[in-house]
Amino acid sequence: MLKFNKKTVAIAVALCLGASAPAIAKNVAGTTITDAGERVEGVTLKIENVETGLVRQLTSDDGDFRFPLLPAGQYILTASKDGYTDVVQEDIFVGLSGSVNVDLTMTLDNVERLEVVGSRISLVDVTTSSTGITVDQFTLEKVPVPRDLTGVALLTPGATQGDSAFGNVPSIGGASAAENAYYINGLNITNFRTGVGSSNPPFEMYESFEIKTGGYSAEYGRVTGSVINAKTKSGSNEFKWGVNVFWEPDALREDKPSNSLPGESLLQIDNSEDENEFAEMNIWASGAIVEDTLFFYALYNPRSDVFDFNGAQTQTGDGIRQQVTNQTDEDAFWAAKLDWYINDSNIIELTAFSDKSTIKTKRTQTLDGVDLTTPAPATGTINEGGTNLIAKYTGIINEDFSISALYGINETDRTISSDLDANPAIFRRFDSTGNFVRGGDFANFTVEVGDDKREVFRLDADYYVGDHSFRFGIDSETLTANANTINSGGVYYLIYVDDETDPANPTPYQVRRRNYSAGGEFELKNFAYYVQDAWQATDNLVINAGIRNDSFENKNGAGDTFVKLDNNWALRLGAVYDLTGDGDSKVWASYGRYYLPVAANTNIRLSGAETFIHEFREFTGFADPTLEIPNFDGAQTQADQVFANGDVPAPDEIVDASLDPMYSDEFILGYKFKLNEDWSLGVQATYRELATTIEDVAIDFGFNQYLEREFGSSCTECTGFHYYVLTNPGTDLTITTDPDANSDGPLPLDTYTIPASDLNYPESIRKYGAIDINATKAWDGVWFLDATYTWSHSWGNNEGYIRSDNGQDDAGLTTLFDQPGLLDGAYGDLPNDRRHSLKVFGSYQVTEELNVGVNLRWSTGRPQNAFGYHPTDEFAREYGSESFYAGGELSPRGSRGTTPSITSIDVTASYDIPINEDYDLTLRADIFNILNSDGVTEVDEIFDDEGADTALSAGIPDQNPNFGQATNWQTPRYVRFSASLRF
């Protein structure tokens, strides 16, 4: 039996304290002792859930007791023994993980008193070396927080807002925004195609959240950022129901600033007419179907989200063109949960929710502010979300051994379509600005038909022996991605327009036709087993040690394995030392290795049946003037570019045979102590390093150089862009191929190992260091406060899974390592580097009915770059303005300063109105970014004009007139009104 001697109880009040709060527990354990500290054995202990009536009972062994795997909720603990006065401990709150530790002091019954122990709040959890925060309903009711997982995660020290190109997602602990893992009731709901974001369950169904930022146990894997772990609400013996209404009116929503080119009156980014009206309602009910046995919770969530926004204005020969987009999402979400207490030792939980949505889009082109009838407005749909199911069994075999088993399905629709999908995609590209202007009559640039399905099975067990608490289990996922993608109409035309020679008469001169299609069914299998031990080595020292073994397998479009990474051992080691033995201070340290699987996006893009061909012809007019479909019968203007020919590539030709998995190492050191009954202080240092990265690299030049040196013959296939191979950049690479394209040339089909020195790629580097200083004032019935200052630095040559500086969510296949020249100057401050940040949130109870709260965030800006054409690497130059060069001069990563600092202050006020003894009404208003701060968050980092090909050939690239101009700003002020009626 694991022994505890701390007279502390982590109760719910502490859980509202954010970063300084102990992790919510799932076990209750402790010791029965006398006033003199001597153990009392043979004590009968009974713990009861006050909401569901669950009762468990045991007898203390040598004074020790433990109640494992308790369902979340509020409990009462009672201790009794003949000759002693009964002891009752109320307000024990159990949640997602960790332990509530309590000593019960037994008093002889000849002493006339009843003692209730453990009543003081524990501000320091001396059992865990993991870091992060816990956010429960108390916090959400007291503090203004956006109603989404990112809004909750951004309360965490070290969390920053990800790039807008990826939507509303966080970057945490220096990792890219695609390296977090999202769980709900134990089911992984992370987007496994790109790693960006997750399913979107109805927010009202959440009960509490854990955001694990580091030091997490071997139970968790497949993540190098943060684990965002959520638990849903459940029913109880008391029947309850309610209605919640939320409204964010456009009339009280400010617009982002607009932007214009220096010295010109033309608006390039026009946000002045944007509109967004959001409203939702939740109708919910919970209670007991069978008292003390079967409970339910159900939620129905109608929604309406209407968004109108303007595209960039572009000056053309006939006037100012602009695209106006309307998006409407009016699907209702739903959720349901059943809890079946078969008996006090066996529980089955069933959870289901739907986040299916169909976003209807309408895009209208305007000329000088007037809607154009030709092309007609383009309409389309974007399907997202799906049905999700979770079944979990928990069984208590005895007080020392328990098991849990989970089966879950996570589904997501990824179909984008419209009634104009038969019409080709058409854009014009103007030489003067490099801007792309939409033409033709199509709705969606790409037509995507697909869906994702995750099937999960995991088995976990807990075993307690002596001073050790073991947790071990298996974690298996089968992921299936169906993806079929083409350009609208099966072809994409790009018309090049000369508007510099004679601006009054723009002249089309070239057409590029893209033939693109990709698709297939792709399967991934992830499997892991682990063991974790919490060892109470001494009264003051806890050792947390674990080991996890991960295996990843990815299959191509033909069903063959093309990536298999087995037996990846990850050590998790932590130590916590209670400095004084009274539970009021601790020093802790941890080390962890975390592996990341290969994203399904890699299967789809690299190992599917993909056709990607560019053909170039002179412009000779329009075959269909109405749809603006150009002729394609002119003279060829440049060589075709064949990136993929439609075949499923052989795995040993596209994957390095010596490929190692992607992983990150982490080191944390911290100190935390209690100042008094209300205040605690803590400091924590974190260092993370991305030790190995998986990316696709073009090897043509280096491969040919190797073959000429070693075999005296050139590679027929090495065009510069033929061989894209998945590898660990900066290492030797082994593939099996025929460099002579299956001919009878001197180079046969064989296995070739190309040295890293020939490939000329640097190793991938990402490092992150941070120091967090936290002060917490516990809730005392009137107010609480949590404040954290973070100094952090993220540096290297690779952001990670995705790439923010060009908005590319092509996980594992970004352009960064596509050519060696693209890495010249790539080492520096990374996009998610925010050197200083301050987060303060708290609440004050003005009266019994009126509460006010605040959430303040301040951070320094993001590093700025200058991208241009590579002056010497002809292959890198084919990527356009993607190199770290400006005007032909090296411009290292992050050397152009930073964007301005960002400040946002959110406030809330709520008023409780007791209608009668059965009904309560709460009215609330939240104002986000109350000062309407409009700090710039992103700028145009393209230095060399994309239309500068002619000038570049003479060695004098033109400068992009938009360089350095703002392209995005922080979210402007908006207001959310809400009303909650509860029975």
Side-chain angles (χ1 to χ4, degrees):
M1 175 73 70
L2 186 60
K3 300 176 181 178
F4 296 89
N5 67 348
K6 307 295 179 290
K7 297 181 180 178
T8 57
V9 178
I11 67 173
V13 178
L15 301 180
C16 73
L17 303 179
S20 295
I24 305 180
K26 63 183 178 186
N27 304 319
V28 173
T31 308
T32 50
I33 58 175
T34 65
D35 289 331
E38 297 176 352
R39 293 173 178 270
V40 181
E41 61 183 28
V43 177
T44 299
L45 296 118
K46 183 180 74 171
I47 194 164
E48 181 178 2
N49 188 305
V50 299
E51 295 178 327
T52 65
L54 171 71
V55 174
R56 288 183 185 162
Q57 187 167 303
L58 55 81
T59 301
S60 65
D61 177 17
D62 193 25
D64 294 322
F65 65 89
R66 172 185 290 278
F67 293 96
L69 296 186
L70 291 166
Q74 183 181 356
Y75 288 82
I76 297 175
L77 177 62
T78 304
S80 60
K81 183 180 180 178
D82 289 343
Y84 291 85
T85 301
D86 288 354
V87 177
V88 179
Q89 172 61 60
E90 298 180 342
D91 294 331
I92 296 177
F93 284 79
V94 169
L96 293 173
S97 65
S99 291
V100 170
N101 307 321
V102 54
D103 283 356
L104 299 176
T105 303
M106 308 297 295
T107 303
L108 292 172
D109 60 9
N110 57 7
V111 179
E112 294 184 0
R113 61 173 177 164
L114 174 65
E115 182 175 359
V116 178
V117 299
S119 59
R120 69 186 180 97
I121 299 170
S122 173
L123 298 182
V124 180
D125 184 353
V126 294
T127 67
T128 180
S129 51
S130 66
T131 61
I133 70 169
T134 295
V135 179
D136 66 353
Q137 284 296 308
F138 181 90
T139 308
L140 297 177
E141 290 170 3
K142 298 290 186 182
V143 175
V145 180
R147 291 171 53 80
D148 52 61
L149 291 175
T150 296
V152 175
L154 288 176
L155 295 173
T156 313
T160 65
Q161 184 74 51
D163 191 275
S164 63
F166 311 134
N168 181 30
V169 289
S171 164
I172 302 177
S176 76
E179 297 171 40
N180 302 312
Y182 302 81
Y183 290 84
I184 181 167
N185 288 357
L187 175 67
N188 191 338
I189 59 171
T190 311
N191 172 2
F192 63 80
R193 281 209 188 188
T194 63
V196 177
S198 69
S199 298
N200 184 32
F203 192 80
E204 193 65 25
M205 74 181 289
Y206 291 121
E207 176 71 25
S208 58
F209 308 85
E210 279 186 331
I211 298 90
K212 297 175 178 289
T213 57
Y216 31 91
S217 72
E219 179 181 354
Y220 296 98
R222 307 178 193 129
V223 57
T224 52
S226 175
V227 174
I228 300 168
N229 195 14
K231 175 192 168 298
T232 65
K233 296 173 181 175
S234 298
S236 66
N237 276 324
E238 183 181 2
F239 176 74
K240 304 175 185 178
W241 70 273
V243 178
N244 306 301
V245 178
F246 301 89
W247 178 41
E248 297 172 8
D250 179 73
L252 296 179
R253 184 185 297 271
E254 300 295 330
D255 294 324
K256 291 182 179 181
S258 299
N259 198 14
S260 61
L261 284 173
E264 299 185 17
S265 59
L266 171 63
L267 286 171
Q268 296 298 300
I269 300 176
D270 180 12
N271 298 312
S272 62
E273 300 299 325
D274 289 354
E275 296 183 3
N276 186 196
E277 188 94 7
F278 175 79
E280 69 173 340
M281 179 174 66
N282 298 296
I283 306 171
W284 62 271
S286 67
I289 300 174
V290 179
E291 188 175 359
D292 293 343
T293 302
L294 185 60
F295 307 94
F296 78 94
Y297 172 83
L299 168 74
Y300 182 65
N301 180 199
R303 307 156 48 253
S304 174
D305 193 3
V306 180
F307 188 20
D308 294 310
F309 59 94
N310 298 320
Q313 293 182 340
T314 303
Q315 178 72 64
T316 62
D318 54 354
I320 298 176
R321 287 179 174 264
Q322 186 175 39
Q323 178 177 289
V324 180
T325 301
N326 169 264
Q327 287 189 348
T328 304
D329 181 3
E330 295 183 336
D331 290 273
F333 291 172
W334 59 263
K337 188 169 190 289
L338 289 176
D339 295 88
W340 181 22
Y341 289 44
I342 302 171
N343 53 45
D344 291 343
S345 298
N346 296 276
I347 302 171
I348 291 178
E349 301 172 55
L350 299 176
T351 307
F353 69 87
S354 172
D355 62 342
K356 288 183 180 180
S357 69
T358 301
I359 302 172
K360 299 178 181 179
T361 64
K362 180 180 179 181
R363 298 185 179 96
T364 304
Q365 292 192 50
T366 67
L367 180 64
D368 292 333
V370 178
D371 289 356
L372 294 176
T373 57
T374 304
T379 60
T381 58
I382 302 172
N383 294 335
E384 296 179 344
T387 302
N388 298 262
L389 303 171
I390 310 166
K392 183 178 181 180
Y393 164 76
T394 302
I396 310 300
I397 309 304
N398 56 48
E399 65 177 277
D400 292 329
F401 185 65
S402 56
I403 61 172
S404 64
L406 181 144
Y407 175 78
I409 295 176
N410 169 228
E411 295 181 339
T412 303
D413 194 346
R414 299 196 183 279
T415 299
I416 300 176
S417 61
S418 80
D419 54 358
L420 300 177
D421 289 345
N423 297 338
I426 296 173
F427 275 84
R428 289 178 173 82
R429 178 182 178 278
F430 291 86
D431 286 352
S432 64
T433 62
N435 286 334
F436 287 70
V437 177
R438 187 185 184 96
D441 187 15
F442 67 99
N444 298 305
F445 179 72
T446 56
V447 179
E448 300 180 23
V449 179
D451 57 79
D452 293 345
K453 180 180 179 180
R454 171 189 277 109
E455 192 171 11
V456 174
F457 173 75
R458 66 176 299 142
L459 181 66
D460 303 280
D462 292 86
Y463 180 58
Y464 312 102
V465 53
D467 293 322
H468 296 268
S469 173
F470 293 101
R471 184 168 177 83
F472 52 93
I474 61 171
D475 176 6
S476 176
E477 291 186 332
T478 299
L479 315 173
T480 305
N482 291 293
N484 293 280
T485 304
I486 61 172
N487 287 119
S488 183
V491 65
Y492 160 39
Y493 291 103
L494 179 63
I495 303 171
Y496 292 76
V497 179
D498 177 6
D499 61 340
E500 293 181 312
T501 304
D502 184 1
N505 296 289
T507 305
Y509 63 90
Q510 180 179 252
V511 177
R512 185 191 75 189
R513 182 171 69 183
R514 175 186 293 174
N515 295 310
Y516 177 81
S517 65
E521 179 177 297
F522 306 88
E523 186 178 87
L524 301 83
K525 289 183 177 292
N526 299 324
F527 181 80
Y529 55 91
Y530 75 92
V531 60
Q532 182 79 31
D533 179 25
W535 174 32
Q536 187 82 44
T538 71
D539 284 347
N540 291 51
L541 177 64
V542 175
I543 302 294
N544 296 309
I547 191 78
R548 181 183 175 96
N549 182 285
D550 271 299
S551 295
F552 312 120
E553 182 179 9
N554 294 57
K555 296 184 179 183
N556 63 17
D560 300 322
T561 297
F562 84 100
V563 170
K564 192 168 187 178
L565 302 167
D566 285 333
N567 292 320
N568 305 301
W569 292 97
L571 177 66
R572 312 288 171 83
L573 185 62
V576 188
Y577 188 74
D578 184 349
L579 291 173
T580 59
D582 58 7
D584 287 342
S585 64
K586 70 173 181 178
V587 174
W588 80 95
S590 70
Y591 162 77
R593 174 165 290 185
Y594 309 103
Y595 285 95
L596 202 63
V598 177
N601 174 74
T602 305
N603 299 51
I604 297 167
R605 287 290 315 279
L606 192 64
S607 72
E610 181 179 34
T611 299
F612 193 161
I613 300 172
H614 280 169
E615 301 170 281
F616 299 85
R617 300 289 187 272
E618 286 184 356
F619 178 82
T620 62
F622 290 102
D624 186 334
T626 301
L627 296 178
E628 299 183 294
I629 301 174
N631 295 319
F632 204 70
D633 56 3
Q636 185 171 351
T637 55
Q638 65 184 83
D640 294 347
Q641 296 175 342
V642 181
F643 301 102
N645 63 5
D647 295 332
V648 175
D652 52 7
E653 190 173 41
I654 60 172
V655 178
D656 179 5
S658 59
L659 184 71
D660 288 327
M662 183 172 177
Y663 71 91
S664 175
D665 286 327
E666 172 193 82
F667 301 86
I668 295 177
L669 178 65
Y671 169 57
K672 186 173 182 180
F673 64 98
K674 176 180 170 182
L675 283 174
N676 53 41
E677 292 302 312
D678 292 330
W679 285 90
S680 66
L681 295 177
V683 60
Q684 173 185 308
T686 303
Y687 176 76
R688 283 181 164 185
E689 183 171 347
L690 189 62
T692 301
T693 299
I694 295 178
E695 265 284 358
D696 71 321
V697 304
I699 67 169
D700 296 51
F701 181 82
F703 190 22
N704 189 61
Q705 182 174 270
Y706 160 75
L707 293 172
E708 289 180 341
R709 183 183 67 249
E710 299 296 329
F711 297 92
S713 182
S714 296
C715 168
T716 305
E717 288 282 75
C718 295
T719 62
F721 307 96
H722 176 78
Y723 284 102
Y724 284 87
V725 180
L726 203 66
T727 188
N728 308 121
T731 65
D732 296 348
L733 181 152
T734 300
I735 60 170
T736 300
T737 187
D738 182 354
D740 282 331
N742 299 315
S743 69
D744 294 327
L747 297 172
L749 173 66
D750 204 350
T751 300
Y752 299 90
T753 299
I754 307 122
S757 56
D758 285 318
L759 297 171
N760 201 31
Y761 286 99
E763 292 185 5
S764 173
I765 300 171
R766 184 183 78 195
K767 299 181 179 181
Y768 173 80
I771 296 175
D772 299 312
I773 302 173
N774 172 262
T776 297
K777 161 66 171 63
W779 174 254
D780 58 3
V782 179
W783 69 290
F784 79 90
L785 185 72
D786 191 290
T788 304
Y789 163 76
T790 300
W791 175 93
S792 64
H793 187 199
S794 181
W795 74 100
N797 63 7
N798 184 17
E799 181 182 353
Y801 230 11
I802 56 177
R803 187 176 180 187
S804 294
D805 47 29
N806 68 353
Q808 190 177 10
D809 66 352
D810 215 1
L813 301 175
T814 66
T815 58
L816 182 62
F817 281 91
D818 278 5
Q819 296 292 339
L822 298 174
L823 275 299
D824 293 342
Y827 190 88
D829 295 337
L830 293 169
N832 294 310
D833 181 44
R834 307 289 194 277
R835 197 62 52 87
H836 304 277
S837 70
L838 178 66
K839 297 185 178 183
V840 180
F841 61 92
S843 174
Y844 183 78
Q845 195 77 26
V846 181
T847 68
E848 186 176 349
E849 296 82 15
L850 177 62
N851 174 81
V852 294
V854 65
N855 184 6
L856 179 149
R857 298 174 306 283
W858 170 86
S859 67
T860 50
R862 161 182 174 167
Q864 294 182 201
N865 303 299
F867 292 104
Y869 289 83
H870 200 293
T872 58
D873 187 324
E874 61 177 310
F875 302 113
R877 187 163 60 240
E878 287 296 321
Y879 282 75
S881 292
E882 283 274 354
S883 298
F884 290 91
Y885 279 87
E889 299 293 328
L890 189 68
S891 181
R893 181 189 290 277
S895 62
R896 297 291 175 136
T898 64
T899 58
S901 297
I902 297 296
T903 301
S904 184
I905 302 175
D906 307 333
V907 297
T908 185
S910 60
Y911 193 80
D912 294 327
I913 304 173
I915 299 176
N916 55 42
E917 61 181 14
D918 294 324
Y919 287 90
D920 291 307
L921 175 66
T922 299
L923 302 179
R924 176 170 173 172
D926 298 81
I927 306 176
F928 298 92
N929 190 7
I930 189 172
L931 301 180
N932 197 32
S933 302
D934 59 358
V936 175
T937 58
E938 296 163 28
V939 299
D940 191 334
E941 297 182 309
I942 302 300
F943 187 92
D944 290 349
D945 188 349
E946 292 281 4
D949 304 75
T950 304
L952 181 66
S953 64
I956 312 171
D958 295 332
Q959 181 175 336
N960 172 23
N962 281 322
F963 174 72
Q965 293 297 300
T967 58
N968 197 29
W969 297 259
Q970 66 187 102
T971 302
R973 179 173 58 230
Y974 69 99
V975 179
R976 182 178 70 207
F977 296 111
S978 62
S980 299
L981 177 65
R982 298 173 300 278
F983 170 81

